[in-house]
Amino acid sequence: MPDNLSENQIRIFDTTLRDGEQAPGCSMTLSEKLRVAKALSELNVDIIEAGFPAASPGDFESVKAIADRNFGPVICGLARCNAADIERVHAAVKGADNHRIHVFVATSAIHREYKLKMAKDEIIKSAVGAIKIARELCDDVEFSPEDASRTELSYLAEVVSAAIEAGASTVNIPDTVGYTVPAEFNRLFCYLKEHVARINEITLSVHCHNDLGMAVANSLAAVGAGARQIECTINGIGERAGNCSLEEAVMAIKTRSEFFGVCTKIDTTRLYPTSRLVSNITGMHPPRNKAIVGENAFSHEAGIHQHGMLQHASTYEIMRPEDVGLSHSNLILGKHSGRHAFRDRAKELGFELDDFEINRAFQDFKKLADKKKDIYDGDIESIIMNASGSASGPWSLKSLEIQTHTDQPATATVTLVGEDGVDVSESAHGDGPVAAALQALERATGVDMILLNFELHSASSGEDAQGEVTVTVEINGQIFRGRGASVDIVEAGCRAGLEVMNRTLRRRARGETNADSTQSAHATI
Ligand code: KIV
Ligand code: ZN
């Protein structure tokens, strides 16, 4: 056991910004990554894996920007086993007081034969060489034998031994393809504990994917056999079926602390706000019945359950909603609520806004309160996310008129106000109201885009609920995402499209062609 880690403390290594961000539709812009990194540090994660710096200049810049902010957690970057990747990670993370280089190479027979075309001893040589290069740059080096769960046990033990001898301070065991099951994975960790001589001198880590829906269970089974770092992501986002969900693993450890006999440093009251932040940014909302952070995770519908709950909450509740940062008093503000009440509620929901941001969001809140009687937490989050996303024109939506008729194309007329206060109106036809509105916007702003995806999510409940729309569009071969919210879903879509067009125009005005795209070219792992 490394000296600075108590026997029963689990390190939480968050890879939302690396493994999570690699998932289709989850890429984030630099400013979005910074917001997530700040939220992760408020959640008190131990390590943030901020990206894969060698993958693209954009990845490098975002890892560097996060490291340079020095939010508090160890900042880590991923590298393949070659000097160029490792040096790139070091250049990106060295701005953080505490930083880590994470190197990996695949070890299973399938990967050796078909992907790497390398023999067993060549792989060990490559891992050892890489760890040594990394150790010259940084004391904190993590090594991962990719596809460890499908690697022959005796060879895996050999690789892990060699990695420790070469200087790795953390050895991570990935179930890369989500293939293992809890009892088997527990045995694998016990085997390593028994067969790797100096294993107690390093932190043993676990990294699970969710292809068979067992990422959290497998991670906890590894903890049962001595793993002391869990690699996970907010909302379990990640490649294919995702990674181990941070909130589920952390709350299992907290709720069943007597069983596991371990703890984490996570401020669990930040779990729900952090989950909402990530889902708002990625547009990927957890299912309603998702454990811990799903909308229904703490609602009790069945009469018998409600009766029990009224007698004593513990009859049907093993965790309290407030423990995960979910407020009991969801309903709250209305049109008579003042700026203070709005600011306080925003703060409780995890948004620290400056005066400028509060003023802008408060104006939007007042407009919404005119249309909608009760304003729920989801509405407030939506207002704030939109206010921060659509910042500063050049165009704002003045009005939108839609005509639809069964069997006929829809017609939309948009009127935008420019920064100079001049209105522009354009009309267009389309297969549906959204297509017509986006086409009219294209004419008004001069920005052409291809709509790739349109996702609608309800921000709160009730007939007058706000619709939150996330659009993914292609402009000049690059992918961008925009968000908009309104009680009218076509208007929400229009606002989402306008947000992307505004960003494009602002970039063009600055003479940039590719900044702030959500697309990051990930190197093949
Ligand atoms: O799933 C995996 O094997 C990984 C490694 C790079 C740690 O993400
Ligand atoms: Zn992974």
Side-chain angles (χ1 to χ4, degrees):
M1 182 69 39
D3 38 348
N4 59 348
L5 190 68
S6 85
E7 187 72 33
N8 63 354
Q9 183 168 329
I10 302 294
R11 284 182 173 165
I12 296 298
F13 175 114
D14 181 278
T15 183
T16 305
L17 295 172
R18 200 278 297 169
D19 224 350
E21 209 249 350
Q22 267 173 232
C26 286
S27 13
M28 302 174 211
T29 63
L30 172 58
S31 55
E32 290 168 341
K33 286 181 186 175
L34 282 168
R35 281 162 70 195
V36 171
K38 182 162 180 284
L40 291 173
S41 58
E42 285 161 4
L43 185 62
N44 222 7
V45 304
D46 298 275
I47 301 112
I48 295 176
E49 186 165 53
F52 185 5
S56 71
D59 266 39
F60 175 86
E61 286 310 328
S62 50
V63 176
K64 181 163 172 5
I66 291 168
D68 290 350
R69 294 292 197 290
N70 224 347
F71 287 123
V74 175
I75 303 299
C76 171
L78 183 68
R80 288 163 294 199
C81 283
N82 66 66
D85 268 31
I86 295 167
E87 280 154 17
R88 201 88 178 118
V89 170
H90 184 247
V93 298
K94 67 178 185 211
D97 287 346
N98 298 308
H99 49 266
R100 173 179 294 187
I101 300 176
H102 179 188
V103 294
F104 75 98
V105 63
T107 51
S108 65
I110 299 173
H111 282 239
R112 291 194 310 262
E113 189 177 340
Y114 298 108
K115 185 175 94 171
L116 300 173
K117 303 190 187 346
M118 279 165 82
K120 283 179 172 176
D121 56 341
E122 284 179 284
I123 284 172
I124 294 187
K125 214 166 136 201
S126 145
V128 166
I131 294 166
K132 287 189 172 158
I133 296 172
R135 273 306 302 267
E136 276 169 27
L137 300 167
C138 167
D139 286 343
D140 189 347
V141 173
E142 172 168 333
F143 170 71
S144 291
E146 191 191 5
D147 206 16
S149 55
R150 293 193 299 170
T151 301
E152 306 88 322
L153 280 179
S154 59
Y155 176 57
L156 184 63
E158 238 184 277
V159 174
V160 172
S161 283
I164 296 172
E165 291 303 324
S169 42
T170 299
V171 174
N172 176 47
I173 304 298
D175 179 29
T176 305
V177 291
Y179 180 72
T180 197
V181 298
E184 178 187 64
F185 213 34
N186 179 283
R187 281 204 298 272
L188 184 154
F189 276 76
C190 291
Y191 180 93
L192 291 178
K193 281 270 187 190
E194 214 177 300
H195 291 84
V196 176
R198 294 176 51 208
I199 201 148
N200 290 333
E201 293 171 28
I202 53 111
T203 301
L204 197 50
S205 167
V206 58
H207 176 114
C208 292
H209 283 265
N210 205 30
D211 300 64
L212 292 173
M214 285 185 279
V216 175
N218 288 332
S219 302
L220 295 171
V223 166
R228 287 296 175 264
Q229 171 177 289
I230 299 180
E231 303 202 348
C232 43
T233 60
I234 299 293
N235 298 337
I237 64 169
E239 293 272 18
R240 308 180 308 277
N243 287 56
C244 170
S245 137
L246 182 149
E247 56 280 359
E248 291 178 24
V250 164
M251 286 313 289
I253 286 171
K254 183 176 163 102
T255 308
R256 302 300 315 276
S257 58
E258 282 179 19
F259 177 81
F260 288 110
V262 294
C263 59
T264 73
K265 286 192 342 219
I266 295 297
D267 174 359
T268 61
T269 65
R270 306 293 312 157
L271 287 172
Y272 186 70
T274 314
S275 157
R276 288 285 302 174
L277 176 72
V278 170
S279 55
N280 276 319
I281 285 178
T282 57
M284 191 136 129
H285 296 274
R288 276 167 193 268
N289 64 343
K290 159 94 169 61
I292 318 297
V293 293
E295 254 166 69
N296 290 356
F298 291 92
S299 3
H300 302 268
E301 278 298 320
I304 195 164
H305 287 205
Q306 287 177 350
H307 176 72
M309 286 288 293
L310 289 172
Q311 307 300 314
H312 201 288
S314 63
T315 47
Y316 285 101
E317 205 166 73
I318 58 166
M319 297 166 276
R320 293 177 314 161
E322 54 270 36
D323 290 343
V324 304
L326 191 67
S327 156
H328 263 312
S329 57
N330 185 19
L331 147 81
I332 20 156
L333 306 180
K335 78 181 196 189
H336 301 297
S337 308
R339 188 183 306 261
H340 271 304
F342 179 75
R343 184 195 284 266
D344 287 353
R345 193 67 201 142
K347 202 165 173 199
E348 278 166 29
L349 291 171
F351 295 99
E352 292 285 350
L353 304 179
D354 61 28
D355 286 346
F356 175 75
E357 290 166 325
I358 278 285
N359 287 344
R360 196 170 51 198
F362 187 65
Q363 280 172 17
D364 292 347
F365 163 75
K366 282 290 179 187
K367 279 188 214 149
L368 181 64
D370 274 339
K371 296 188 197 159
K372 191 172 185 293
K373 193 165 144 276
D374 297 325
I375 308 285
Y376 295 86
D377 288 349
D379 296 316
I380 296 177
E381 285 168 350
S382 175
I383 288 169
I384 295 171
M385 292 301 294
N386 278 319
S388 53
S390 61
S392 49
W395 294 104
S396 49
L397 184 66
K398 184 171 179 187
S399 67
L400 168 68
E401 255 181 68
I402 297 286
Q403 281 179 326
T404 54
H405 202 283
T406 22
D407 302 332
Q408 276 178 30
T411 309
T413 303
V414 294
T415 304
L416 303 182
V417 197
E419 280 170 323
D420 51 7
V422 178
D423 289 4
V424 172
S425 286
E426 286 290 347
S427 299
H429 299 298
D431 287 342
V434 173
L438 292 178
Q439 172 104 50
L441 278 181
E442 287 181 317
R443 288 188 184 160
T445 61
V447 177
D448 290 333
M449 61 187 204
I450 302 165
L451 180 65
L452 301 177
N453 195 25
F454 181 94
E455 264 175 57
L456 175 63
H457 172 80
S458 166
S460 54
S461 46
E463 278 182 8
D464 61 354
Q466 281 202 101
E468 283 176 346
V469 169
T470 307
V471 292
T472 309
V473 301
E474 191 183 314
I475 299 176
N476 293 338
Q478 282 189 281
I479 311 292
F480 297 91
R481 208 170 34 235
R483 272 183 302 274
S486 167
V487 287
D488 174 335
I489 57 170
V490 181
E491 183 187 325
C494 195
R495 288 187 182 281
L498 186 58
E499 193 209 327
V500 183
M501 292 174 179
N502 272 334
R503 284 210 317 261
T504 305
L505 291 168
R506 291 202 298 272
R507 271 198 328 279
R508 286 183 189 165
R510 292 194 300 265
E512 295 166 20
T513 50
N514 59 355
D516 226 25
S517 162
T518 63
Q519 196 173 47
S520 47
H522 291 290
T524 317
I525 295 188

